[in-house]
Amino acid sequence: MNAEIGLGSHSQYHRSRTKMDFDPVFLSRLQFAWVIGWHILLPAFTVGAAAYIAVLEGFHLATGREVYLRVSMFWIRIFSVAFGMGVVTGVVMPFQLGTNWSRYADATSNVLSPLFAYEGLTAFFLEAGFLGVLLFGRKVVPRWTHFFAALMVAMGTLFSSFWILSANSWMQTPAGYEIIDGRFYPTDWIAIIFNPSFLPRLAHTVVAFFITAGFVVLGTGAYLIRRGQFLAEGRTMLSMTLWLLTVLVPLQIFLGDHHGLNTLEHQPAKLAAIEARWDTARKIPLTLLAIPDERTQSNRAAIEIPGLGSLILTHKLDGEVKGLKDFPPDQRPPVAIPFFGFRIMVGCGMLMLGVVLLGGWLRWRGRLVETRWFLLLCLLVSPIGFIAVIAGWAVTEVGRQPWTVYGLLRTAQSVSPSLTGRDVAISLLAYTTVYLIMYPVGLLLMLRIIRAGPGSPAGDVATIAAGRPEAPVLAGAAFTEAREP
């Protein structure tokens, strides 16, 4: 690891713990966590939803079955609401880099600015442009063109994930750079883009987004079946998504394990915090639950399985795992958030796997659609992917601390030097207020589209946004025949 960048004395950028409430570093971190924590919920849904819409459009083009068209139109309306919210919340994040994190922006701009620009050029405009065709081109373009537009929207979401995760991974495992006068300069763009943690993180994150959207679709299909309306559409959502999740959930467990091996190699302090491992040792136990105590550097009330930790973490019975005591105290991440966040994420994964296996068993028995308690279970677990994504994000970002660029640039040295706690407190209050208004309104709008159902004019975004009374729910096929040219 290269030497740490010096940007002034540590005390210049960090207040004492007794004044944490007014510390611009702490408040800026809290503000960024608030903004990105809400924003990540949207790509966690839209990346998977866009791919699902593309599949539906492809099935409709290939088979001519109108049920795929009705389901696609239904999810396009929901996707458009989420996309609009994502644009609004996404703009705030780069804005904060200039207002709150100018030292970080100044030091890393030569490397990261092109990656963010590529995201806008190759992803956002592709996604936004073809979304217009999806929303308004159904009657004016051929079916194959509409399918192509759906593919481009899906590709746009994936390109966006590619560039954003490349930038984030570079901050986690920097490569392909040199440091001149406290600034990073690129020396190898391939090494920068495909830095050591990028491909495992990309695969793990994109599959997590697909699973998140999958459980939303699964729950929506179960809701429609339980309600006894739009049964064909509900069965299509339930059956298609359950097949997909049967593949993706086990795949995600494998990808998560691979990502863990990468973390062991490149970010051992993060892994030590995730496992609350204080002393370096071999043949370590697997800690299921504990209460980490940073003051005493020990775990209280630990529930452990002897020897299993090394096998899972290193794939060796006597594999060595570094402990937090091997790192200077000022270079250790906080322990509690990565430790509990990781277990929440894994717990969600195990619950997802249980739902998928149960659904497969019921399908084999021919009782998938008729088992109402399973449909209720699908409805109840529909938000589980969002919980897992937020928990995983907390593990990744808090586990990187105290660095913005791992091992090189400290978070405390990245904040704007002229920023005061009062400045950040005002903007944090404003962001909190706006988000607590915008997100419930957006969620309510999406829920009203779901309640109106596929193939209903009451599910039209413009109708709902204008506050018009919901029209009587029509049979899906009749509505499709009335709307098609």
Side-chain angles (χ1 to χ4, degrees):
M1 185 65 69
N2 293 315
E4 178 183 337
I5 290 180
L7 293 175
S9 67
H10 185 72
S11 60
Q12 181 179 356
Y13 300 99
H14 188 66
R15 308 285 199 273
S16 67
R17 288 184 180 272
T18 59
K19 296 182 179 180
M20 180 175 287
D21 290 342
F22 302 97
D23 181 3
V25 177
F26 172 75
L27 290 178
S28 293
R29 290 177 62 190
L30 183 62
Q31 177 174 293
F32 200 84
W34 173 264
V35 171
I36 199 172
W38 282 106
H39 173 75
I40 200 173
L41 298 175
L42 299 169
F45 169 71
T46 56
V47 170
Y52 182 56
I53 291 167
V55 170
L56 290 167
E57 291 287 334
F59 280 13
H60 173 60
L61 181 65
T63 67
R65 291 183 59 191
E66 293 182 352
V67 65
Y68 294 125
L69 175 62
R70 296 194 296 272
V71 175
S72 177
M73 293 173 64
F74 173 72
W75 285 106
I76 287 172
R77 292 193 290 266
I78 297 174
F79 175 88
S80 66
V81 177
F83 177 81
M85 294 172 63
V87 171
V88 173
T89 56
V91 168
V92 175
M93 289 187 294
F95 177 77
Q96 285 188 100
L97 297 183
T99 58
N100 294 62
W101 303 99
S102 63
R103 289 277 186 172
Y104 157 82
D106 179 61
T108 64
S109 59
N110 296 295
V111 172
L112 295 182
S113 292
L115 302 184
F116 293 139
Y118 296 151
E119 191 271 338
L121 290 172
T122 67
F124 175 75
F125 289 110
L126 182 69
E127 190 177 353
F130 281 99
L131 179 60
V133 179
L134 277 185
L135 285 172
F136 308 113
R138 180 75 68 180
K139 292 185 178 181
V140 297
V141 299
R143 286 184 176 182
W144 71 265
T145 306
H146 207 267
F147 169 56
F148 179 77
L151 282 178
M152 291 302 99
V153 171
M155 288 298 297
T157 63
L158 293 175
F159 278 137
S160 180
S161 301
F162 180 95
W163 292 114
I164 294 300
L165 289 172
S166 176
N168 180 269
S169 296
W170 185 85
M171 294 162 61
Q172 304 276 349
T173 51
Y177 66 91
E178 62 180 350
I179 298 174
I180 302 175
D181 297 330
R183 293 182 177 89
F184 295 90
Y185 288 87
T187 59
D188 184 347
W189 278 109
I190 298 299
I192 289 172
I193 295 170
F194 296 96
N195 56 79
S197 67
F198 169 56
L199 291 179
R201 180 171 286 107
L202 177 68
H204 188 57
T205 303
V206 169
V207 172
F209 289 173
F210 282 178
I211 291 173
T212 299
F215 271 92
V216 173
V217 176
L218 192 73
T220 303
Y223 165 74
L224 294 175
I225 295 171
R226 281 179 57 86
R227 206 175 70 172
Q229 293 179 306
F230 308 105
L231 293 178
E233 293 86 347
R235 290 191 183 100
T236 299
M237 295 180 201
L238 187 72
S239 180
M240 286 181 65
T241 311
L242 191 57
W243 280 121
L244 178 67
L245 292 174
T246 302
V247 176
L248 290 184
V249 172
L251 174 63
Q252 182 70 329
I253 295 173
F254 169 79
L255 293 173
D257 176 69
H258 183 65
H259 193 22
L261 293 175
N262 183 271
T263 304
L264 173 69
E265 179 181 358
H266 296 286
Q267 294 180 293
K270 178 190 289 188
L271 185 67
I274 289 172
E275 294 300 318
R277 181 57 44 195
W278 302 97
D279 298 296
T280 299
R282 296 180 181 273
K283 297 183 179 180
I284 65 169
L286 176 65
T287 304
L288 300 178
L289 284 175
I291 303 175
D293 189 337
E294 294 189 52
R295 184 180 60 83
T296 62
Q297 301 184 85
S298 63
N299 296 332
R300 293 184 283 114
I303 302 174
E304 299 179 333
I305 301 176
L308 193 57
S310 287
L311 181 61
I312 291 178
L313 297 175
T314 70
H315 290 190
K316 298 177 182 177
L317 286 172
D318 63 342
E320 181 181 270
V321 178
K322 284 189 176 182
L324 287 164
K325 292 180 182 178
D326 275 13
F327 304 93
D330 66 342
Q331 295 184 19
R332 301 174 190 172
V335 177
I337 293 178
F339 179 81
F340 289 109
F342 180 77
R343 278 146 186 81
I344 292 171
M345 180 180 65
V346 171
C348 289
M350 293 299 102
L351 181 56
M352 292 175 186
L353 182 62
V355 171
V356 166
L357 293 177
L358 183 59
W361 180 74
L362 289 173
R363 189 199 296 272
W364 177 67
R365 295 288 301 274
R367 296 166 47 196
L368 178 63
V369 177
E370 292 77 14
T371 308
R372 292 187 63 82
W373 61 264
F374 177 74
L375 298 176
L376 178 60
L377 176 63
C378 291
L379 181 58
L380 293 176
V381 300
S382 56
I384 193 171
F386 297 107
I387 299 172
V389 165
I390 288 293
W393 168 79
V395 170
T396 297
E397 299 308 310
V398 177
R400 183 185 60 195
Q401 297 304 315
W403 313 98
T404 47
V405 180
Y406 192 74
L408 297 170
L409 180 62
R410 287 182 176 271
T411 304
Q413 295 175 323
S414 301
V415 75
S416 301
S418 61
L419 200 64
T420 66
R422 181 175 177 272
D423 296 333
V424 192
I426 293 173
S427 60
L428 175 59
L429 180 62
Y431 285 134
T432 301
T433 303
V434 171
Y435 278 50
L436 288 179
I437 295 173
M438 178 176 61
Y439 270 81
V441 170
L443 179 61
L444 179 62
L445 181 57
M446 287 185 278
L447 290 176
R448 293 188 68 182
I449 295 173
I450 292 173
R451 180 172 173 267
S456 168
D460 183 74
V461 172
T463 302
I464 294 174
R468 299 169 191 166
E470 294 185 354
V473 177
L474 304 178
F479 176 65
T480 301
E481 291 170 1
R483 290 288 298 271
E484 285 188 336

